[in-house]
Amino acid sequence: MKKRIIVTGGTGYIGSHTAVELIQEGYEVILLDNLYNSEAEVAGRIGQITGTTPVLEVIDLCDASKLDATLKKHSGADAIIHFAAYKAVGESVNKPLEYYRNNLVSLMNLLDSMRSFSIPHMVFSSSCTVYGQPAILPVTEDAPVQPAVSPYGNTKQIGEEIIRDAVAAYEQINAISLRYFNPIGAHASALIGELPRGVPENLVPFITQTAYGLRDELKVFGVDYDTPDGSCIRDYLHVVDLAKAHVIAVERLISGKNKNPYEVFNLGTGKGVSVLEAISAFERATGVSLRYSITGRRPGDIEKIWADPSLANRELGWKTLSTLEECMRTAWAWENEIRKKK
Ligand code: UD1
């Protein structure tokens, strides 16, 4: 029998790419999403890529009784991959209670419901934001978690703590938190990708929208950092590489290969890339030149961070395969695809 995986936030950016990889690896996938930041049509697009359109349950995870009813229906499921969350850093500063309520109530409801309906495993979508500015680079999973600079970041830290404590208390639940660095790019089919609402906060959607002519220019937030070219450094990884790590994490839990009931892994390339290098990579990969100017620092930005992914390399047998140019090419193809639809 096919293993059944519930993917919350399954029509979102990382959720949809993960659903594709799961289906291609032979899993049955059920998507849960409230469509707050994504479209139902994505389920059909997953079907176009894989030949199997997953079931989509439109549900708000904060509604505990509806969630119970949904998980009861799918009570034989083998695991949950939990992506559903609000994720705009800037917005979270202005709407902290919405962020805490949405991201944490949904997580607690899920853990409760998993216990009620005997779903034993969770993979949680966490972030390198938990490290703040690490003292030592590349950053390993043992680096101390630092006070969050935004309510969004804090929901990831608290989310990890809730899961750690729940796993310790309830023997029937095992979990893996995956700390993503900066996911970018889109599926090679250009059928799914990131759909930012309004003006994008993140670098790559801003680059592709500027290149397309939707924005006048990209503003580079500061070139006075203590980095080789003065701009901030991040670890950008392709969303399909990231999606594949979730399949491996789920397999690890289902087959009982996890070494502890709760595990944490960094997911990144291990290579730091500056904002100016990212712009050059985009121009090289697409042949499109980008209008940009230098402006002041963005409050709350970390100067430099990149992953030490060796634990994931070793334990999960996972590493990133796509180059930065492939990331940029697929992001650009997706931007062009979105505009065709509109
Ligand atoms: C932020 C969050 C991270 C979250 C991620 C995805 C923090 C500290 N980081 O990452 O947790 O997972 O968003 O939502 O909370 N940049 C420009 N011009 C722009 C946009 C960005 O120069 O118009 C620069 C930024 O200064 C940064 C880099 O590009 O150096 C990447 O920015 P962004 O894509 O927003 O990601 P992070 O801030 O790293």
Side-chain angles (χ1 to χ4, degrees), residues 127 129 152 182 201-203 219 221 232 234 298 301:
S127 167
T129 191
Y152 157 77
N182 288 56
E201 277 191 18
N202 295 122
L203 179 64
K219 297 220 176 324
F221 295 141
C232 290
R234 296 289 184 274
R298 179 170 70 175
D301 259 341

Side-chain angles (χ1 to χ4, degrees), residues 87 89 127-129 149-150 152-153 180-183 200-204 206 218-221 232-234 236 275 298 300-302:
K87 61 168 188 177
V89 178
S127 167
C128 69
T129 191
V149 291
S150 71
Y152 157 77
Y180 315 151
F181 283 68
N182 288 56
E201 277 191 18
N202 295 122
L203 179 64
V204 173
F206 206 104
L218 170 76
K219 297 220 176 324
V220 175
F221 295 141
C232 290
I233 295 181
R234 296 289 184 274
Y236 298 95
V275 176
R298 179 170 70 175
D301 259 341
I302 299 300

Side-chain angles (χ1 to χ4, degrees), residues 46-227:
I46 293 168
Q48 267 179 272
I49 298 170
T50 62
T52 307
T53 301
V55 169
L56 168 63
E57 303 275 11
V58 178
I59 177 183
D60 186 339
L61 304 180
C62 291
D63 182 340
S65 56
K66 202 166 171 209
L67 177 60
D68 275 350
T70 306
L71 290 205
K72 188 172 183 189
K73 199 164 115 191
H74 299 292
S75 60
D78 295 279
I80 292 187
I81 308 183
H82 180 40
F83 294 104
Y86 292 166
K87 61 168 188 177
V89 178
E91 183 184 63
S92 78
V93 175
N94 300 320
K95 298 181 173 176
L97 298 183
E98 279 96 326
Y99 269 68
Y100 286 116
R101 189 175 299 112
N102 184 66
N103 291 4
L104 299 178
V105 171
S106 57
L107 172 63
M108 290 185 285
N109 284 349
L110 258 184
L111 289 163
D112 264 338
S113 204
M114 283 169 68
R115 292 171 62 213
S116 303
F117 302 105
S118 307
I119 301 174
H121 307 299
M122 175 184 276
V123 176
F124 178 61
S125 180
S126 188
S127 167
C128 69
T129 191
V130 303
Y131 298 119
Q133 175 60 65
I136 300 168
L137 288 168
V139 64
T140 64
E141 291 80 355
D142 304 330
V145 165
Q146 299 202 53
V149 291
S150 71
Y152 157 77
N154 213 16
T155 66
K156 291 299 174 190
Q157 292 193 6
I158 299 169
E160 284 197 12
E161 288 168 3
I162 290 172
I163 295 169
R164 182 199 61 204
D165 293 347
V167 166
Y170 312 127
E171 267 174 32
Q172 68 271 39
I173 298 182
N174 282 9
I176 293 178
S177 285
L178 298 175
R179 292 178 178 163
Y180 315 151
F181 283 68
N182 288 56
I184 59 169
H187 196 263
S189 63
L191 286 167
I192 54 172
E194 190 171 10
L195 269 180
R197 274 184 304 153
V199 181
E201 277 191 18
N202 295 122
L203 179 64
V204 173
F206 206 104
I207 288 179
T208 55
Q209 289 197 6
T210 305
Y212 199 85
L214 300 175
R215 315 268 159 220
D216 289 341
E217 61 175 9
L218 170 76
K219 297 220 176 324
V220 175
F221 295 141
V223 289
D224 58 347
Y225 286 99
D226 181 18
T227 60

